[in-house]
Amino acid sequence: MNSQKSLARLQFYVTNLSAQSMQHRLEGKIFASQGFSKLGDKYKEHAEEELGWVDKMIDRILDLGGTPALEQGPAMPVTAGIVELLNMDKQISIAGIDVLRKDTVEAGDDYATFDIFKAYLLDEEEDLNWTVQQLDLIECIGLQNWLTQQV
């Protein structure tokens, strides 16, 4: 991946992760306001983690001599329906991981960007596994029982 393509892909992630972070922060606040403090904390933590990746990618853009931009991210639906949100997060993660895998492979000759993408990919796979696990638990023990664990 040449430096111009690395810059473009890094900016893509900066823009999209910034939007996702704000969405997860908002959802965390919604869940906390509904009394599901553990779930609210999980989404707040997730939002902060995403901003950490944004910082790493901005630093890499600067290392490559680029200028990071604050761009409008995609509009993201906000839902208070927990199962709906988990399913939406699962689908977004699956699609995002596919794109990130391709970008990671393409960044193979840009070692620093490759390392960032690889680490971010591992983090996203962990997040997907958590989401799938929660959906499996809901199916196994029922939504109400799962929700009592989130208080």
Side-chain angles (χ1 to χ4, degrees):
M1 182 179 289
N2 65 40
S3 65
Q4 288 304 313
K5 187 159 185 178
S6 289
L7 286 168
R9 295 315 295 162
L10 287 160
Q11 183 61 55
F12 167 82
Y13 289 106
V14 166
T15 299
N16 286 282
L17 278 173
S18 296
Q20 282 182 320
S21 177
M22 292 309 298
Q23 178 181 356
H24 284 133
R25 181 173 300 283
L26 178 60
E27 290 162 344
K29 288 184 176 289
I30 290 170
F31 296 144
S33 76
Q34 294 171 337
F36 303 117
S37 58
K38 288 182 184 176
L39 191 59
D41 289 345
K42 174 67 177 176
Y43 272 82
K44 179 183 176 187
E45 175 186 306
H46 193 59
E48 290 169 2
E49 183 179 277
E50 288 168 331
L51 286 179
W53 288 111
V54 168
D55 283 343
K56 289 177 185 180
M57 292 180 192
I58 287 172
D59 288 343
R60 182 62 184 146
I61 290 170
L62 293 169
D63 289 345
L64 290 170
T67 303
L70 291 174
E71 298 175 341
Q72 179 74 31
M76 304 184 90
V78 176
T79 176
I82 294 172
V83 174
E84 181 183 0
L85 171 69
L86 289 171
N87 278 309
M88 183 178 65
D89 277 353
K90 177 182 169 185
Q91 295 310 313
I92 289 170
S93 290
I94 289 169
I97 285 171
D98 286 343
V99 171
L100 184 53
R101 280 189 182 125
K102 291 174 189 170
D103 286 340
T104 302
V105 169
E106 286 186 28
D109 60 342
D110 175 354
Y111 300 122
T113 302
F114 173 83
D115 287 343
I116 292 169
F117 285 172
K118 181 180 172 188
Y120 177 53
L121 176 60
L122 293 172
D123 183 63
E124 283 300 294
E125 287 173 342
E126 287 176 15
D127 291 342
L128 175 59
N129 290 338
W130 180 86
T131 302
V132 169
Q133 181 185 44
Q134 300 316 299
L135 288 166
D136 289 347
L137 273 171
I138 290 168
E139 187 174 317
C140 183
I141 66 174
L143 178 59
Q144 295 306 314
N145 290 326
W146 183 83
L147 287 173
T148 61
Q149 296 176 350
Q150 305 307 316
V151 175

